[in-house]
PDB file of all heavy atoms in Angstrom:
ATOM      1  N   ASP D 188     119.511-208.450 158.121  1.00  0.00           N
ATOM      2  CA  ASP D 188     120.755-208.001 157.499  1.00  0.00           C
ATOM      3  C   ASP D 188     121.062-208.725 156.197  1.00  0.00           C
ATOM      4  O   ASP D 188     121.626-208.143 155.271  1.00  0.00           O
ATOM      5  CB  ASP D 188     121.921-208.183 158.479  1.00  0.00           C
ATOM      6  CG  ASP D 188     121.842-207.203 159.643  1.00  0.00           C
ATOM      7  OD1 ASP D 188     121.166-206.163 159.498  1.00  0.00           O
ATOM      8  OD2 ASP D 188     122.451-207.488 160.690  1.00  0.00           O
ATOM      9  N   VAL D 189     120.687-210.002 156.109  1.00  0.00           N
ATOM     10  CA  VAL D 189     121.017-210.769 154.904  1.00  0.00           C
ATOM     11  C   VAL D 189     120.382-210.144 153.660  1.00  0.00           C
ATOM     12  O   VAL D 189     120.964-210.194 152.567  1.00  0.00           O
ATOM     13  CB  VAL D 189     120.565-212.249 155.059  1.00  0.00           C
ATOM     14  CG1 VAL D 189     119.042-212.351 155.166  1.00  0.00           C
ATOM     15  CG2 VAL D 189     121.079-213.093 153.904  1.00  0.00           C
ATOM     16  N   LEU D 190     119.210-209.525 153.806  1.00  0.00           N
ATOM     17  CA  LEU D 190     118.537-208.916 152.661  1.00  0.00           C
ATOM     18  C   LEU D 190     119.216-207.616 152.233  1.00  0.00           C
ATOM     19  O   LEU D 190     118.957-207.115 151.139  1.00  0.00           O
ATOM     20  CB  LEU D 190     117.063-208.652 152.992  1.00  0.00           C
ATOM     21  CG  LEU D 190     116.216-209.886 153.300  1.00  0.00           C
ATOM     22  CD1 LEU D 190     114.777-209.490 153.629  1.00  0.00           C
ATOM     23  CD2 LEU D 190     116.235-210.867 152.123  1.00  0.00           C
ATOM     24  N   MET D 191     120.060-207.070 153.104  1.00  0.00           N
ATOM     25  CA  MET D 191     120.769-205.835 152.780  1.00  0.00           C
ATOM     26  C   MET D 191     122.187-206.127 152.278  1.00  0.00           C
ATOM     27  O   MET D 191     122.910-205.219 151.897  1.00  0.00           O
ATOM     28  CB  MET D 191     120.862-204.947 154.036  1.00  0.00           C
ATOM     29  CG  MET D 191     119.519-204.682 154.720  1.00  0.00           C
ATOM     30  SD  MET D 191     118.411-203.723 153.678  1.00  0.00           S
ATOM     31  CE  MET D 191     119.274-202.150 153.635  1.00  0.00           C
ATOM     32  N   SER D 192     122.548-207.417 152.274  1.00  0.00           N
ATOM     33  CA  SER D 192     123.933-207.782 151.982  1.00  0.00           C
ATOM     34  C   SER D 192     124.293-207.711 150.504  1.00  0.00           C
ATOM     35  O   SER D 192     125.468-207.565 150.151  1.00  0.00           O
ATOM     36  CB  SER D 192     124.193-209.209 152.488  1.00  0.00           C
ATOM     37  OG  SER D 192     123.453-210.153 151.712  1.00  0.00           O
ATOM     38  N   GLY D 193     123.303-207.880 149.627  1.00  0.00           N
ATOM     39  CA  GLY D 193     123.596-207.915 148.203  1.00  0.00           C
ATOM     40  C   GLY D 193     124.144-209.246 147.739  1.00  0.00           C
ATOM     41  O   GLY D 193     124.461-209.419 146.555  1.00  0.00           O
ATOM     42  N   HIS D 194     124.247-210.210 148.648  1.00  0.00           N
ATOM     43  CA  HIS D 194     124.766-211.546 148.327  1.00  0.00           C
ATOM     44  C   HIS D 194     123.601-212.428 147.901  1.00  0.00           C
ATOM     45  O   HIS D 194     122.849-212.933 148.721  1.00  0.00           O
ATOM     46  CB  HIS D 194     125.462-212.134 149.561  1.00  0.00           C
ATOM     47  CG  HIS D 194     126.320-213.322 149.255  1.00  0.00           C
ATOM     48  ND1 HIS D 194     125.815-214.507 148.752  1.00  0.00           N
ATOM     49  CD2 HIS D 194     127.672-213.502 149.374  1.00  0.00           C
ATOM     50  CE1 HIS D 194     126.795-215.374 148.597  1.00  0.00           C
ATOM     51  NE2 HIS D 194     127.937-214.793 148.956  1.00  0.00           N
ATOM     52  N   HIS D 195     123.452-212.612 146.610  1.00  0.00           N
ATOM     53  CA  HIS D 195     122.263-213.265 146.057  1.00  0.00           C
ATOM     54  C   HIS D 195     122.085-214.701 146.540  1.00  0.00           C
ATOM     55  O   HIS D 195     120.962-215.143 146.799  1.00  0.00           O
ATOM     56  CB  HIS D 195     122.291-213.224 144.531  1.00  0.00           C
ATOM     57  CG  HIS D 195     122.251-211.834 143.978  1.00  0.00           C
ATOM     58  ND1 HIS D 195     121.191-210.976 144.203  1.00  0.00           N
ATOM     59  CD2 HIS D 195     123.150-211.139 143.220  1.00  0.00           C
ATOM     60  CE1 HIS D 195     121.427-209.820 143.605  1.00  0.00           C
ATOM     61  NE2 HIS D 195     122.606-209.884 143.015  1.00  0.00           N
ATOM     62  N   GLU D 196     123.170-215.453 146.658  1.00  0.00           N
ATOM     63  CA  GLU D 196     123.057-216.836 147.095  1.00  0.00           C
ATOM     64  C   GLU D 196     122.623-216.923 148.554  1.00  0.00           C
ATOM     65  O   GLU D 196     121.780-217.749 148.923  1.00  0.00           O
ATOM     66  CB  GLU D 196     124.391-217.575 146.900  1.00  0.00           C
ATOM     67  CG  GLU D 196     124.417-218.999 147.439  1.00  0.00           C
ATOM     68  CD  GLU D 196     123.335-219.902 146.848  1.00  0.00           C
ATOM     69  OE1 GLU D 196     122.818-219.597 145.750  1.00  0.00           O
ATOM     70  OE2 GLU D 196     122.999-220.919 147.490  1.00  0.00           O
ATOM     71  N   ASN D 197     123.157-216.047 149.394  1.00  0.00           N
ATOM     72  CA  ASN D 197     122.750-216.038 150.802  1.00  0.00           C
ATOM     73  C   ASN D 197     121.286-215.634 150.947  1.00  0.00           C
ATOM     74  O   ASN D 197     120.565-216.168 151.793  1.00  0.00           O
ATOM     75  CB  ASN D 197     123.636-215.087 151.612  1.00  0.00           C
ATOM     76  CG  ASN D 197     125.038-215.642 151.833  1.00  0.00           C
ATOM     77  OD1 ASN D 197     125.283-216.816 151.546  1.00  0.00           O
ATOM     78  ND2 ASN D 197     125.946-214.809 152.314  1.00  0.00           N
ATOM     79  N   ILE D 198     120.864-214.679 150.121  1.00  0.00           N
ATOM     80  CA  ILE D 198     119.464-214.241 150.146  1.00  0.00           C
ATOM     81  C   ILE D 198     118.549-215.380 149.704  1.00  0.00           C
ATOM     82  O   ILE D 198     117.516-215.633 150.327  1.00  0.00           O
ATOM     83  CB  ILE D 198     119.271-213.005 149.244  1.00  0.00           C
ATOM     84  CG1 ILE D 198     119.991-211.798 149.846  1.00  0.00           C
ATOM     85  CG2 ILE D 198     117.775-212.706 149.062  1.00  0.00           C
ATOM     86  CD1 ILE D 198     120.023-210.584 148.946  1.00  0.00           C
ATOM     87  N   ARG D 199     118.943-216.077 148.626  1.00  0.00           N
ATOM     88  CA  ARG D 199     118.127-217.207 148.153  1.00  0.00           C
ATOM     89  C   ARG D 199     117.983-218.279 149.214  1.00  0.00           C
ATOM     90  O   ARG D 199     116.886-218.785 149.471  1.00  0.00           O
ATOM     91  CB  ARG D 199     118.777-217.816 146.906  1.00  0.00           C
ATOM     92  CG  ARG D 199     117.973-218.971 146.299  1.00  0.00           C
ATOM     93  CD  ARG D 199     118.837-219.824 145.381  1.00  0.00           C
ATOM     94  NE  ARG D 199     119.870-220.540 146.109  1.00  0.00           N
ATOM     95  CZ  ARG D 199     119.653-221.662 146.801  1.00  0.00           C
ATOM     96  NH1 ARG D 199     118.435-222.195 146.860  1.00  0.00           N
ATOM     97  NH2 ARG D 199     120.646-222.253 147.446  1.00  0.00           N
ATOM     98  N   ARG D 200     119.095-218.621 149.876  1.00  0.00           N
ATOM     99  CA  ARG D 200     119.054-219.670 150.888  1.00  0.00           C
ATOM    100  C   ARG D 200     118.256-219.236 152.111  1.00  0.00           C
ATOM    101  O   ARG D 200     117.512-220.021 152.694  1.00  0.00           O
ATOM    102  CB  ARG D 200     120.474-220.057 151.298  1.00  0.00           C
ATOM    103  CG  ARG D 200     120.499-221.288 152.210  1.00  0.00           C
ATOM    104  CD  ARG D 200     121.916-221.781 152.424  1.00  0.00           C
ATOM    105  NE  ARG D 200     121.941-222.861 153.402  1.00  0.00           N
ATOM    106  CZ  ARG D 200     121.690-224.133 153.117  1.00  0.00           C
ATOM    107  NH1 ARG D 200     121.405-224.485 151.868  1.00  0.00           N
ATOM    108  NH2 ARG D 200     121.726-225.057 154.072  1.00  0.00           N
ATOM    109  N   TRP D 201     118.375-217.957 152.476  1.00  0.00           N
ATOM    110  CA  TRP D 201     117.599-217.432 153.619  1.00  0.00           C
ATOM    111  C   TRP D 201     116.102-217.508 153.320  1.00  0.00           C
ATOM    112  O   TRP D 201     115.315-217.921 154.154  1.00  0.00           O
ATOM    113  CB  TRP D 201     118.005-215.987 153.910  1.00  0.00           C
ATOM    114  CG  TRP D 201     117.240-215.362 155.048  1.00  0.00           C
ATOM    115  CD1 TRP D 201     117.538-215.419 156.376  1.00  0.00           C
ATOM    116  CD2 TRP D 201     116.035-214.576 154.950  1.00  0.00           C
ATOM    117  NE1 TRP D 201     116.591-214.736 157.112  1.00  0.00           N
ATOM    118  CE2 TRP D 201     115.666-214.206 156.269  1.00  0.00           C
ATOM    119  CE3 TRP D 201     115.238-214.151 153.883  1.00  0.00           C
ATOM    120  CZ2 TRP D 201     114.540-213.437 156.541  1.00  0.00           C
ATOM    121  CZ3 TRP D 201     114.112-213.384 154.162  1.00  0.00           C
ATOM    122  CH2 TRP D 201     113.770-213.034 155.469  1.00  0.00           C
ATOM    123  N   ARG D 202     115.733-217.116 152.121  1.00  0.00           N
ATOM    124  CA  ARG D 202     114.321-217.156 151.730  1.00  0.00           C
ATOM    125  C   ARG D 202     113.784-218.583 151.728  1.00  0.00           C
ATOM    126  O   ARG D 202     112.660-218.839 152.167  1.00  0.00           O
ATOM    127  CB  ARG D 202     114.133-216.506 150.357  1.00  0.00           C
ATOM    128  CG  ARG D 202     114.238-214.987 150.402  1.00  0.00           C
ATOM    129  CD  ARG D 202     114.189-214.377 149.015  1.00  0.00           C
ATOM    130  NE  ARG D 202     114.007-212.928 149.085  1.00  0.00           N
ATOM    131  CZ  ARG D 202     114.105-212.111 148.048  1.00  0.00           C
ATOM    132  NH1 ARG D 202     114.398-212.607 146.842  1.00  0.00           N
ATOM    133  NH2 ARG D 202     113.905-210.822 148.193  1.00  0.00           N
ATOM    134  N   LEU D 203     114.596-219.512 151.236  1.00  0.00           N
ATOM    135  CA  LEU D 203     114.182-220.911 151.223  1.00  0.00           C
ATOM    136  C   LEU D 203     114.007-221.431 152.648  1.00  0.00           C
ATOM    137  O   LEU D 203     113.018-222.110 152.961  1.00  0.00           O
ATOM    138  CB  LEU D 203     115.225-221.749 150.484  1.00  0.00           C
ATOM    139  CG  LEU D 203     114.962-223.258 150.429  1.00  0.00           C
ATOM    140  CD1 LEU D 203     113.603-223.554 149.773  1.00  0.00           C
ATOM    141  CD2 LEU D 203     116.088-223.965 149.684  1.00  0.00           C
ATOM    142  N   GLU D 204     114.939-221.099 153.512  1.00  0.00           N
ATOM    143  CA  GLU D 204     114.845-221.526 154.915  1.00  0.00           C
ATOM    144  C   GLU D 204     113.619-220.936 155.597  1.00  0.00           C
ATOM    145  O   GLU D 204     112.897-221.625 156.324  1.00  0.00           O
ATOM    146  CB  GLU D 204     116.115-221.113 155.661  1.00  0.00           C
ATOM    147  CG  GLU D 204     116.199-221.615 157.088  1.00  0.00           C
ATOM    148  CD  GLU D 204     115.608-220.640 158.099  1.00  0.00           C
ATOM    149  OE1 GLU D 204     115.618-219.426 157.810  1.00  0.00           O
ATOM    150  OE2 GLU D 204     115.132-221.085 159.163  1.00  0.00           O
ATOM    151  N   GLN D 205     113.338-219.662 155.323  1.00  0.00           N
ATOM    152  CA  GLN D 205     112.169-219.014 155.915  1.00  0.00           C
ATOM    153  C   GLN D 205     110.868-219.620 155.385  1.00  0.00           C
ATOM    154  O   GLN D 205     109.892-219.774 156.120  1.00  0.00           O
ATOM    155  CB  GLN D 205     112.211-217.511 155.623  1.00  0.00           C
ATOM    156  CG  GLN D 205     113.311-216.757 156.348  1.00  0.00           C
ATOM    157  CD  GLN D 205     113.124-216.772 157.853  1.00  0.00           C
ATOM    158  OE1 GLN D 205     112.025-216.570 158.355  1.00  0.00           O
ATOM    159  NE2 GLN D 205     114.209-217.020 158.579  1.00  0.00           N
TER     160      GLN D 205
END
Side-chain angles (χ1 to χ4, degrees):
D188 290 339
V189 65
L190 298 179
M191 307 295 293
S192 68
H194 195 297
H195 297 299
E196 175 57 22
N197 287 350
I198 292 172
R199 182 199 67 79
R200 188 171 174 83
W201 179 87
R202 286 174 168 171
L203 178 58
E204 186 269 332
Q205 291 295 316

